[in-house]
Amino acid sequence: MIGGLFIYNHKGEVLISRVYRNDIGRNAVDAFRVNVIHARQQVRSPVSNIARTSFFHVKRSNIWLAAVTKQNVNAAMVFEFLYKMCDVMAAYFGKISEENIKNNFVLIYELLDEILDFGYPQNSETGALKTFITQQGIKGQHQTKEEQSQITSQVTGQIGWRREGIKYRRNELFLDVLESVNLLMSPQGQVLSAHVSGRVVMKSYLSGMPECKFGMNDKIVIDKQGKGGVTDEAGKSELGGSGKQAIAIDDCTFHQCVRLSRFDSERSISFIPPDGDYELMRYRTTKDIILPFRVIPLVREVGRSKLEVKVVIKSNFKPSLLAQKIEVRIPTPLTTSGVQVICMKGKAKYKASENAIVWKIKRMAGMKESQISAEIELLPTNDKKKWARPPISMNFEVPFAPSGLKVRYLKVFESKLNYSDHDVIKWVRYIGRSGIYETRC
Amino acid sequence: MPAVSKGDGMRGLAVFISDIRNCKSKEAEIKRINKELANIRSKFKGDKALDGYSKKKYVCKLLFIFLLGHDIDFGHMEAVNLLSSNKYTEKQIGYLFISVLVNSNSDLISLINNGIKNDLASRNPTFINLALHCIANVGSREMAEAFAADIPRILVAGDSMDSVKQSAALCLLRLNRTSPDLVPMGEWTARVVHLLNDQHLGVVTAATSLITTLAQKSPDDFKTSVSLAVARLSRIVTSASTDLQDYTYYFVAAPWLSVKLLRLLQCYPPPEDGAIRARLVECLESILNKAQEPPKSKKVQHSNAKNAVLFEAISLIIHHDSEPTLLVRACNQLGQFLQHRETNLRYLALESMCTLASSEFSHEAVKTHIETVISALKTERDVSVRQRAVDLLYAMCDRSNSKQIVAEMLSYLETADYSIREEIVLKVAILAEKYAVDYTWYVDTILSLIRMAGDYVSEEVWYRVIQIVINRDDVQGYAAKTVFEALQAPACHENLVKVGGYILGEFGNLIAGDARSSPLVQFNLLHSKFHLCSVPTRALLLSAYIKFINLFPEVKGTIQEVLKSDSQLRNADVELQQRAVEYLRLSCIASTDILATVLEEMPPFPERESSILAKLKRKKGPGVTLPDLEDQRKERGANVNGGSEHGASNSAATPSPPESAADLLTAAPTPTNRPRPVSSSSLLQPMLSPLSCLSSLSPLSSFAHQGTAATMSATAAGPLFQVSPSTSTDLLGLASPAPSTGGSLLVDVFSELHAPEQASAEAPAPPVADDNFSRFVCKNNGVLYENQLLQIGLKSEYRQNLGRMYVFFGNKTSTQFLNFSASVLCQEPLHSQLNIHAKPADPTVEGGAQLQQTLNIECVSDFVDAPVLNIQFRYGGTLQKMAVKLPITLNKFLQPTEMVSQDFFQRWKQLGAPQQEVQKIFKSKHSMDTEVTKAKIIGFGAALLDGVDPNPSNFVGAGVIHTKTTQVGCLLRLEPNTQAQMYRLTLRTSRDTVSQRLCDLLSDQF
């Protein structure tokens, strides 16, 4: 179990230190600072073992969060907790920064007391926490006994993530499918590795204790239904560029509200949603990925002091859709002494501090092509090392899911209150972003 | 970089540095640096030439980036260009960049050297200084090669400025340290000495450092420096501090110079000239006097400077070791420091006193401080100081105060730091033995030692107790009683059980009369410890039990029960099982007479050097610079203590079979399956063989074997067989290599080994190791010398009168050797006969690494002696010196000549003059194998001529010795006589000396 939790700023100064168990001494704080934050060589492993003590850390901008333990804990659990901790903090005071942490340190200690008990993670659902840890200080006096007992029964009850008696005039539901597509491509255009990791994020404003059911074009479900002779054509080829019906999901995880037993038996996703923002599921696919962009590089070395680079990008989706925030990053050799760039579209600039040419295009429709060419002057050095030619990377945002995932339905049932599925206003949105999207040159 | 003028401010650099300092994260810093590097690249790339200022600025930035830990792979050219600038600041930055960043194999090196050369030749002293600093900072071999010749010229040139001289001296010092061979000695050396008389104290200080280093290398060349140094010292010490202007540091006159001068004087023995000597004594006295004066300042710098001079003066006094009054005064002075507030001073005082204690003049004076030292031991907070206090107590111990010191060390042992416990234990054990008047005291001491620090008592310590108890009748009863009492403690250390088992097994009968320690009580007491002990101890206890059966027949039944039990008879450990089985049978079968004979009391051990002392020395060995009484004396060649001790410093050069082999008891159990020396009872031989395979490594198997061997023989030969005690001593002696003296089979390995060494110990040089020398007469490659630290291997090739030898120095330790130097010394007649040029070796040898040195050899004329390789290095803190005879022998220059029978005999007759022939008849030392002999003759260098001699079993060889001056033809004939195991060797050459030498060399080989 987690023995303690520390938060450091980028200099390694301790901002928050909470020790849960006696086996973690004061020197653990310094050990992590000395061996990880101030380490000579950048520590890349998220887990460090120092003197039989394990440190699990995540970094959020310039802030280090480190969980410490002397026991053999489930590392995945610890990281899940750390991420959750970040989410909770973000939900309370926004961006995690040194200043925010300093301004909210009382709150953070309060949260740490609540979500971690003797090193065991407790209910870390933001919605639930917000009912009794408020930013306006404790309102214990104002709370009635009833309210207090209500909180107790909610937090300790079966559905700890939702309280009873929620009422909305308008029952509304927002569903976002957020995906990030990762790619590594050879110079010849061969896909070396590609996968999509996606999230289904929801925001629900529903009254009472509604029962929801979520359906998507999961291959297993579609095939099963196909056998049964019932085919749902509703979601077919409405969005995105492909007409394929079903996608194969490699693995997925769900919010705790999803009834896993029912998913295991029927593969249907049914749940009582928390109120407000939450992440319903996370998934990963590796098959039949729609690659929104293709990068075609051309690098030519002219003598020892010159390099010519030409890069073509092609958008590969329906012409009606618009990709946004496109950025191509072309690395330059470490001996670059000057760069001339010509591009047809967007803006390109040599950024010396990053050793790269950055080419930005605001918008680009599908099935289009654009090109940049650059002349790089090199300074001959006595160092014989060859340039390693790092890959060209890309960033973008597209309004469809590159995995091909589609929402087939989202049904809401509330038996006690008087509203039906049709009365709920539902919003669905797809956003595909680039993860690590690289092409070798 | 202070903003000197508008042109020199380098605002860009300041802005850049402050940008970097303001970076919030590593990433931000890297971004800023990348941006700056791109900027500099575009600037350097730019077609228009940069002016000196911006060049300097960018080079500075690059340097700063490099110092932040980033790689820089350009800008070298620009930096080199800065060298030719005429502005001081630009030149300075150029030199700075070069000394930090340019590595020796860069292709720019010739440009750089050119720049430096120009500056060295310039009229501007600051430019010369910059160049000198650069040379010294880089200090590489290339630099030394290029400039070693120029610098002495600058140093002694009449018109050089003081600051230039100063830099030149230091630069030369640096080059001398890195590549001593490249710094030429020459006529300038004499003039360097006179720099000691220079007006400018800075020059004198720098020159003193240089001269000290040079004087260590070749003391004779710089002998004249002694009188100058004394004169200079006396001027500093006696002068009023006002006339030294800048060189008075917190009211102390030129402390650094004084320290250096005193150190220089330590390179030489006390001056012989009475006047100089008197002046030096006067100086030293006045330094000691000044220490007594009240401090002129309360500042710590004042006392530090004063004490630095004082301590250096004291170490000079100790080094000279000739002025009793000074020694006593120094000792008194140090005595005051023993209670000083400063920990460092106390440490230094204790350390210096350790060396003082070894001088005969001041030993008594040191002893007066015993109380203070003891209280230091008890109350000192710093462990290193306590360690020194222990050393000092050890050094000052003699017969008069040994009881007190031992008692104090024992009582300190209980609270001592773990790191030094083992050493204290060894020291106590040695002192107790060395100064024991009454051996009951000794036994008491060692037993309480084992009781208090059992874990730190090494095997040697308790072996030694047993040796002493067995050899001394008067303490045996007392020892048995004491041990018995000690064993009654509920928890005792295993070492105590071992001692107890051994002593009760031998002398239990002496206390059996008392009802409280009746045989059964003794046995039960021992057996109660049995199950808690490790296997070797149990084996020892079993042997003690069988001895009990002999001593006390009344407990026989009880002991047999114990031996019979499954836990013994079927013990998983083969040694225990064998002992149990054998002892059980022995006790059942043998009659009391046989038992009494077989299990007789152990015979006395031969008197010999304590193995503990060897252990202590080994432990301290290299790395720990404890001034040990014996070591010190050895090193100085004043062997006051006679030959009874041997110094660790010498042991390095000893042709040592490892000392462990010399340890009496550990030696005994080494596997016994090699041919053993003459035994009085050959009947026993076959009986021992099966046993020997099983013989354990238990330290006491000698004791056991006495029993087991006898068991076997008793069962086989019955009562007819008489086992004399000498058989068991024979077993003990097995490990010593072929003892030649029949009388005492157990030869003291030490006394043999050190006999030749003591002879050479008179000379200040370490003894010359030549044990592998003769092996190299007939071959060219192999391991010449090896000890715990160093292995020396050889590879050599010869052609006509020239030869080349590669000497490989292998560092066997994991720590590096510093100041490593190896030089070849040719004694007088050899000097003109053989030219040897040694390429200098690297001054450091990394741990585990190998260093190669090449020797070029030219034979001028025939010679007899062999050159000596002197090796010197610093390992840990101690200076190791050794000397090895190099196997360069006359026959190496012997080239084979093929000739037919007729020619051979013709020449043989020509060389008929009596002085040209040398004949030797000698006994064969090895088996007379024809092939081996042939190989040896060919290896010797001669051509082996077949079919020349009418007798086919004879060997005939011919060859020519090439020297620079002449060539000497050699003919040889070797006639073996297989029956008599004799050889007759005849050599005929045109020179009588050659004949004699070759005959000696070759006859040694058969």
Side-chain angles (χ1 to χ4, degrees):
Chain A
M1 294 306 108
I2 297 170
L5 198 131
F6 307 125
I7 301 179
Y8 301 85
N9 66 3
H10 71 282
K11 287 182 198 149
E13 291 161 350
V14 187
L15 303 177
I16 300 284
S17 149
R18 179 76 172 87
V19 174
Y20 293 94
R21 293 188 173 230
N22 289 333
D23 55 0
I24 302 301
R26 284 276 139 212
N27 49 4
V29 193
D30 301 322
F32 182 76
R33 173 176 49 232
V34 172
N35 290 297
V36 180
I37 302 181
H38 290 167
R40 284 239 175 111
Q41 248 146 23
Q42 201 193 347
V43 175
R44 305 185 69 182
S45 156
V47 185
S48 322
N49 272 307
I50 305 159
R52 292 200 209 148
T53 311
S54 308
F55 294 83
F56 305 78
H57 74 262
V58 296
K59 230 184 141 186
R60 283 283 182 274
S61 63
N62 274 334
I63 299 296
W64 300 73
L65 277 95
V68 196
T69 182
K70 283 227 168 196
Q71 286 161 312
N72 185 15
V73 295
N74 179 347
M77 184 273 282
V78 176
F79 283 111
E80 184 63 39
F81 171 77
L82 287 175
Y83 292 138
K84 200 78 206 176
M85 171 85 197
C86 295
D87 291 346
V88 170
M89 287 198 290
Y92 268 95
F93 49 76
K95 188 172 175 282
I96 297 177
S97 65
E98 183 176 348
E99 205 181 319
N100 273 345
I101 286 179
K102 279 182 178 163
N103 290 340
N104 290 290
F105 80 96
V106 179
L107 172 75
I108 294 172
Y109 277 116
E110 223 178 315
L111 284 171
L112 282 175
D113 278 342
E114 199 55 50
I115 59 179
L116 212 52
D117 193 356
F118 195 48
Y120 293 96
Q122 305 295 311
N123 190 347
S124 52
E125 199 53 50
T126 319
L129 286 170
K130 279 200 170 160
T131 57
F132 52 91
I133 299 179
T134 59
Q135 263 169 308
Q136 287 79 43
I138 306 163
K139 44 179 191 177
Q141 292 96 311
H142 312 296
Q143 275 178 329
T144 58
K145 271 240 169 81
E146 255 167 65
E147 278 174 318
Q148 280 177 346
S149 69
Q150 200 187 344
I151 291 171
T152 315
S153 74
Q154 183 211 329
V155 170
T156 56
Q158 210 180 2
I159 305 165
W161 56 89
R162 190 179 179 94
R163 66 188 164 91
E164 281 186 68
I166 300 173
K167 270 232 164 71
Y168 286 104
R169 238 163 40 91
R170 229 154 85 107
N171 287 306
E172 236 175 341
L173 199 59
F174 299 87
L175 190 146
D176 290 351
V177 177
L178 307 173
E179 292 192 341
S180 74
V181 53
N182 300 285
L183 168 78
L184 183 63
M185 194 178 252
S186 77
Q188 287 77 33
Q190 195 185 353
V191 176
L192 301 173
S193 86
H195 74 268
V196 170
S197 57
R199 306 190 298 148
V200 177
V201 178
M202 293 182 71
K203 203 186 265 185
S204 61
Y205 302 107
L206 299 172
S207 312
M209 278 292 195
E211 171 84 37
C212 299
K213 211 172 165 196
F214 174 64
M216 57 183 181
N217 56 343
D218 181 1
K219 202 170 182 186
I220 298 171
V221 182
I222 302 283
D223 287 355
K224 220 196 277 173
Q225 286 174 348
K227 266 178 228 159
V230 188
T231 41
D232 195 316
E233 299 284 319
K236 188 184 173 184
S237 68
E238 261 177 21
L239 298 156
S242 88
K244 76 182 156 90
Q245 288 194 337
I247 61 157
I249 287 175
D250 286 20
D251 46 52
C252 54
T253 53
F254 292 105
H255 188 265
Q256 59 169 336
C257 64
V258 174
R259 292 190 183 87
L260 290 179
S261 55
R262 201 168 301 167
F263 180 75
D264 286 341
S265 57
E266 302 163 29
R267 217 167 160 91
S268 71
I269 303 164
S270 68
F271 55 97
I272 295 171
D275 200 38
D277 291 327
Y278 59 98
E279 182 186 289
L280 181 68
M281 75 179 284
R282 255 183 261 176
Y283 58 90
R284 208 170 68 93
T285 71
T286 50
K287 284 201 190 74
D288 302 322
I289 293 165
I290 308 154
L291 298 173
F293 283 97
R294 168 85 207 277
V295 179
I296 304 158
L298 213 104
V299 180
R300 205 159 67 91
E301 280 175 53
V302 188
R304 276 190 66 196
S305 59
K306 209 171 178 187
L307 201 70
E308 281 181 10
V309 181
K310 206 170 122 182
V311 176
V312 180
I313 58 168
K314 283 182 180 168
S315 56
N316 180 30
F317 45 87
K318 277 207 257 174
S320 57
L321 297 174
L322 270 182
Q324 285 185 320
K325 299 178 189 165
I326 301 153
E327 185 185 295
V328 183
R329 181 175 289 262
I330 305 160
T332 54
L334 294 173
T335 52
T336 306
S337 60
V339 176
Q340 277 92 47
V341 202
I342 306 162
C343 60
M344 302 176 345
K345 214 177 164 195
K347 278 179 191 164
K349 201 178 170 191
Y350 167 58
K351 285 203 172 167
S353 59
E354 291 154 42
N355 280 321
I357 300 169
V358 179
W359 178 25
K360 284 182 175 163
I361 303 168
K362 278 203 180 117
R363 233 168 260 114
M364 188 166 173
M367 296 311 194
K368 287 264 168 60
E369 196 177 296
S370 190
Q371 179 182 305
I372 182 173
S373 56
E375 253 181 42
I376 301 171
E377 276 177 75
L378 304 177
L379 184 79
T381 62
N382 43 0
D383 204 7
K384 300 288 178 290
K385 263 188 287 176
K386 249 199 122 193
W387 182 42
R389 288 200 178 189
I392 296 172
S393 61
M394 221 189 140
N395 287 318
F396 53 81
E397 209 178 284
V398 288
F400 62 91
S403 68
L405 179 129
K406 260 157 239 138
V407 178
R408 285 171 58 219
Y409 57 82
L410 181 62
K411 291 173 187 153
V412 181
F413 309 99
E414 169 57 278
S415 45
K416 286 186 192 148
L417 293 174
N418 254 347
Y419 69 93
S420 71
D421 188 29
H422 303 290
D423 302 332
V424 180
I425 307 157
K426 298 170 193 163
W427 305 87
V428 178
R429 174 164 73 155
Y430 297 90
I431 301 171
R433 290 198 182 97
S434 57
I436 297 164
Y437 201 85
E438 292 179 335
T439 309
R440 293 191 178 153
C441 57
Chain B
M1 199 67 43
V4 190
S5 67
K6 190 172 166 278
D8 284 340
M10 290 203 280
R11 250 201 71 182
L13 178 68
V15 168
F16 173 60
I17 292 175
S18 73
D19 275 0
I20 296 249
R21 296 242 163 98
N22 289 335
C23 280
K24 279 262 159 61
S25 66
K26 190 113 189 152
E27 290 76 24
E29 185 186 310
I30 290 172
K31 277 190 174 170
R32 181 69 184 89
I33 285 169
N34 280 338
K35 194 175 157 194
E36 195 61 45
L37 282 177
N39 176 34
I40 298 172
R41 277 196 300 261
S42 67
K43 285 282 183 337
F44 282 175
K45 172 86 182 179
D47 299 325
K48 56 178 193 302
L50 286 173
D51 61 341
Y53 166 75
S54 27
K55 217 178 260 176
K56 174 182 76 172
K57 184 174 75 180
Y58 293 128
V59 167
C60 255
K61 282 180 181 177
L62 284 179
L63 194 57
F64 183 74
I65 292 171
F66 176 78
L67 294 178
L68 283 177
H70 302 266
D71 279 341
I72 296 295
D73 51 3
F74 66 101
H76 301 73
M77 199 57 222
E78 282 71 15
V80 174
N81 285 344
L82 281 178
L83 292 190
S84 51
S85 158
N86 269 330
K87 277 203 184 130
Y88 171 76
T89 50
E90 289 166 20
K91 225 183 228 318
Q92 182 202 25
I93 296 297
Y95 274 122
L96 186 61
F97 187 88
I98 283 162
S99 51
V100 172
L101 253 148
V102 173
N103 52 351
S104 54
N105 52 10
S106 160
D107 27 344
L108 292 171
I109 211 85
S110 62
L111 281 172
I112 295 169
N113 282 356
N114 200 21
I116 294 177
K117 206 153 243 163
N118 285 340
D119 279 343
L120 282 183
S122 112
R123 306 286 303 162
N124 189 338
T126 44
F127 288 2
I128 304 180
N129 267 347
L130 276 177
L132 286 171
H133 292 172
C134 179
I135 297 170
N137 279 336
V138 176
S140 64
R141 276 198 80 78
E142 288 73 17
M143 285 282 178
E145 265 163 12
F147 302 110
D150 297 344
I151 299 166
R153 187 178 48 75
I154 296 174
L155 179 59
V156 296
D159 56 348
S160 294
M161 275 193 38
D162 288 337
S163 64
V164 175
K165 277 189 201 165
Q166 206 171 338
S167 300
L170 292 174
C171 182
L172 201 54
L173 174 63
R174 157 80 184 183
L175 293 184
N176 189 52
R177 279 181 186 154
T178 50
S179 29
D181 54 303
L182 289 177
V183 179
M185 303 294 272
E187 44 87 37
W188 61 274
T189 47
R191 299 175 66 182
V192 165
V193 172
H194 287 283
L195 285 178
L196 287 177
N197 275 335
D198 199 286
Q199 292 288 312
H200 193 260
L201 275 188
V203 176
V204 183
T205 314
T208 313
S209 297
L210 176 66
I211 293 169
T212 309
T213 315
L214 292 174
Q216 279 163 353
K217 206 165 83 175
S218 48
D220 292 342
D221 292 349
F222 293 91
K223 255 206 172 100
T224 45
S225 64
V226 173
S227 58
L228 293 175
V230 171
R232 177 54 90 169
L233 183 66
S234 100
R235 258 180 285 157
I236 294 168
V237 172
T238 51
S239 72
S241 56
T242 42
D243 56 61
L244 292 166
Q245 310 114 15
D246 292 349
Y247 288 85
T248 304
Y249 176 80
Y250 288 89
F251 305 105
V252 183
W256 281 276
L257 180 55
S258 313
V259 165
K260 284 181 172 173
L261 288 169
L262 287 164
R263 211 165 267 174
L264 171 63
L265 290 173
Q266 283 176 46
C267 300
Y268 292 98
E272 269 144 35
D273 183 349
I276 299 173
R277 190 173 177 144
R279 203 158 173 203
L280 178 58
V281 168
E282 189 197 345
C283 284
L284 292 171
E285 263 173 352
S286 61
I287 291 172
L288 286 172
N289 285 339
K290 276 190 184 166
Q292 294 295 341
E293 286 168 13
K296 288 188 183 131
S297 157
K298 279 192 175 141
K299 290 259 172 57
V300 67
Q301 289 93 331
H302 171 70
S303 60
N304 277 350
K306 207 163 98 175
N307 291 332
V309 178
L310 177 63
F311 272 105
E312 210 51 54
I314 290 176
S315 55
L316 179 64
I317 293 170
I318 296 170
H319 171 78
H320 284 170
D321 197 13
S322 59
E323 297 285 338
T325 45
L326 282 180
L327 280 164
V328 171
R329 280 197 63 187
C331 179
N332 292 340
Q333 184 59 51
L334 291 176
Q336 290 177 9
F337 285 144
L338 284 182
Q339 282 158 314
H340 203 273
R341 266 186 316 115
E342 279 282 307
T343 313
N344 290 339
L345 271 186
R346 290 198 299 270
Y347 180 96
L348 288 170
L350 286 169
E351 197 181 30
S352 306
M353 264 203 175
C354 267
T355 46
L356 271 179
S358 59
S359 165
E360 53 185 323
F361 302 118
S362 53
H363 187 71
E364 285 306 312
V366 172
K367 269 166 65 184
T368 54
H369 300 291
I370 182 163
E371 292 303 331
T372 329
V373 180
I374 286 170
S375 75
L377 187 64
K378 286 175 175 161
T379 55
E380 187 57 59
R381 295 227 313 273
D382 187 319
V383 60
S384 56
V385 182
R386 290 199 295 268
Q387 165 101 50
R388 289 289 151 264
V390 171
D391 289 339
L392 180 53
L393 279 181
Y394 178 71
M396 65 163 63
C397 189
D398 64 9
R399 212 165 283 283
S400 62
N401 54 16
S402 57
K403 282 211 173 170
Q404 188 194 3
I405 286 179
V406 167
E408 290 297 344
M409 280 167 92
L410 265 181
S411 68
Y412 171 61
L413 191 56
E414 289 188 65
T415 50
D417 308 83
Y418 295 106
S419 51
I420 59 171
R421 275 194 187 183
E422 186 174 359
E423 203 178 307
I424 297 182
V425 166
L426 287 172
K427 283 183 168 157
V428 168
I430 291 166
L431 292 178
E433 185 194 330
K434 202 166 170 184
Y435 301 113
V437 189
D438 125 43
Y439 276 88
T440 56
W441 173 72
Y442 172 73
V443 171
D444 280 343
T445 307
I446 300 292
L447 284 182
S448 50
L449 198 61
I450 294 176
R451 203 168 47 233
M452 276 191 269
D455 286 339
Y456 300 91
V457 175
S458 55
E459 303 275 282
E460 285 86 351
V461 174
W462 73 265
Y463 293 169
R464 192 66 188 155
V465 189
I466 285 169
Q467 284 173 24
I468 284 171
V469 170
I470 287 188
N471 288 8
R472 300 211 144 245
D473 301 337
D474 44 337
V475 286
Q476 287 165 355
Y478 179 79
K481 185 160 158 280
T482 327
V483 169
F484 178 76
E485 278 161 10
L487 277 176
Q488 273 167 330
C492 32
H493 193 269
E494 193 160 326
N495 279 338
L496 186 63
V497 179
K498 286 178 183 165
V499 177
Y502 201 109
I503 288 183
L504 289 181
E506 294 290 333
F507 310 114
N509 55 337
L510 299 178
I511 54 165
D514 195 326
R516 282 166 300 173
S517 55
S518 71
L520 195 61
V521 177
Q522 283 185 34
F523 171 73
N524 285 339
L525 181 61
L526 276 185
H527 199 59
S528 65
K529 316 282 182 203
F530 186 87
H531 301 281
L532 305 171
C533 297
S534 62
V535 170
T537 313
R538 287 191 201 189
L540 187 150
L541 285 178
L542 286 181
S543 299
Y545 295 169
I546 189 73
K547 290 239 164 186
F548 269 172
I549 293 186
N550 173 39
L551 291 178
F552 319 115
E554 61 265 39
V555 294
K556 187 171 173 179
T558 328
I559 292 174
Q560 278 179 340
E561 279 306 310
V562 171
L563 291 176
K564 252 184 226 164
S565 69
D566 275 358
S567 61
Q568 310 300 343
L569 276 189
R570 297 191 183 160
N571 197 298
D573 187 86
V574 79
E575 175 70 28
L576 290 183
Q577 198 184 62
Q578 187 186 4
R579 286 190 188 213
V581 171
E582 283 173 1
Y583 292 160
L584 186 60
R585 293 300 295 160
L586 181 66
S587 69
C588 295
I589 295 169
S591 73
T592 38
D593 282 356
I594 295 171
L595 272 183
T597 325
V598 169
L599 303 171
E600 205 183 12
E601 209 173 277
M602 290 293 280
F605 292 90
E607 280 302 330
R608 45 177 299 161
E609 199 216 335
S610 164
S611 54
I612 314 177
L613 207 54
K615 159 104 177 170
L616 178 67
K617 283 170 184 157
R618 208 164 48 225
K619 181 170 158 39
K620 294 200 303 191
V624 191
T625 49
L626 294 182
D628 193 30
L629 200 59
E630 279 77 36
D631 291 359
Q632 291 280 323
R633 283 179 186 166
K634 266 277 152 65
E635 271 165 16
R636 286 176 204 180
N639 200 342
V640 190
N641 211 20
S644 62
E645 313 285 347
H646 85 290
S649 57
N650 289 349
S651 73
T654 313
S656 56
E659 274 141 304
S660 61
D663 291 346
L664 172 66
L665 279 157
T666 37
T670 44
T672 50
N673 44 7
R674 44 174 144 151
R676 48 177 66 73
V678 200
S679 159
S680 56
S681 53
S682 53
L683 254 177
L684 202 58
Q685 286 286 65
M687 310 312 304
L688 284 169
S689 312
L691 251 184
S692 56
C693 312
L694 289 165
S695 79
S696 76
L697 287 169
S698 127
L700 275 211
S701 61
S702 72
F703 172 51
H705 271 170
Q706 185 194 4
T708 22
T711 323
M712 307 283 278
S713 47
T715 41
L720 283 172
F721 197 78
Q722 272 293 324
V723 186
S724 72
S726 68
T727 4
S728 64
T729 28
D730 178 14
L731 273 161
L732 285 170
L734 288 178
S736 63
S740 50
T741 41
S744 91
L745 286 169
L746 189 83
V747 179
D748 193 339
V749 186
F750 266 83
S751 66
E752 276 193 343
L753 290 180
H754 293 278
E757 193 183 299
Q758 277 151 21
S760 61
E762 304 302 323
V768 176
D770 60 352
D771 46 332
N772 282 345
F773 182 77
S774 67
R775 278 210 256 151
F776 283 88
V777 171
C778 290
K779 62 176 193 171
N780 286 334
N781 306 328
V783 175
L784 177 63
Y785 174 77
E786 186 160 13
N787 67 5
Q788 302 100 303
L789 307 174
L790 183 71
Q791 187 190 48
I792 304 176
L794 288 188
K795 231 181 182 179
S796 40
E797 54 199 31
Y798 296 90
R799 181 157 301 141
Q800 304 213 322
N801 69 325
L802 299 176
R804 179 170 293 160
M805 181 176 266
Y806 302 99
V807 189
F808 297 93
F809 300 98
N811 182 349
K812 290 168 73 179
T813 64
S814 52
T815 17
Q816 59 172 201
F817 296 158
L818 296 171
N819 301 357
F820 188 90
S821 76
S823 56
V824 179
L825 183 72
C826 293
Q827 244 86 37
E828 200 20 70
L830 190 58
H831 196 64
S832 54
Q833 294 161 344
L834 205 60
N835 280 337
I836 299 184
H837 175 73
K839 292 206 174 150
D842 222 8
T844 49
V845 187
E846 295 298 329
Q850 210 180 39
L851 179 79
Q852 182 188 339
Q853 192 180 26
T854 314
L855 307 180
N856 287 323
I857 308 152
E858 186 189 28
C859 177
V860 180
S861 65
D862 65 285
F863 59 97
V864 177
D865 286 326
V868 175
L869 182 67
N870 281 317
I871 301 149
Q872 190 177 332
F873 58 88
R874 200 166 275 281
Y875 169 74
T878 41
L879 189 66
Q880 305 276 341
K881 281 188 183 173
M882 50 190 78
V884 186
K885 232 182 192 176
L886 277 179
I888 301 171
T889 48
L890 185 55
N891 68 298
K892 298 291 179 196
F893 306 98
L894 183 64
Q895 298 266 306
T897 325
E898 293 290 344
M899 54 179 79
V900 294
S901 171
Q902 208 183 350
D903 292 348
F904 182 82
F905 282 111
Q906 198 187 352
R907 297 203 185 173
W908 185 261
K909 286 196 191 97
Q910 278 172 0
L911 297 169
Q915 72 272 17
Q916 291 176 330
E917 184 190 274
V918 176
Q919 193 169 65
K920 198 169 180 184
I921 301 171
F922 54 92
K923 202 162 174 59
S924 157
K925 274 180 272 176
H926 309 281
S927 68
M928 300 177 75
D929 186 343
T930 322
E931 288 308 313
V932 174
T933 314
K934 275 185 183 169
K936 278 185 179 164
I937 292 176
I938 292 168
F940 192 69
L944 192 68
L945 305 178
D946 280 332
V948 170
D949 201 294
N951 181 353
S953 62
N954 289 355
F955 305 95
V956 167
V960 176
I961 289 195
H962 293 265
T963 69
K964 197 182 175 188
T965 47
T966 53
Q967 298 193 345
V968 184
C970 311
L971 302 175
L972 70 91
R973 189 176 187 205
L974 181 73
E975 295 154 280
N977 179 344
T978 2
Q979 273 91 45
Q981 295 277 307
M982 301 282 269
Y983 282 110
R984 183 166 71 185
L985 176 67
T986 317
L987 264 152
R988 287 192 181 184
T989 71
S990 46
R991 269 195 189 203
D992 48 348
T993 45
V994 176
S995 304
Q996 188 58 51
R997 179 63 184 153
L998 287 182
C999 182
D1000 290 345
L1001 282 171
L1002 191 57
S1003 62
D1004 246 14
Q1005 297 297 314
F1006 298 106

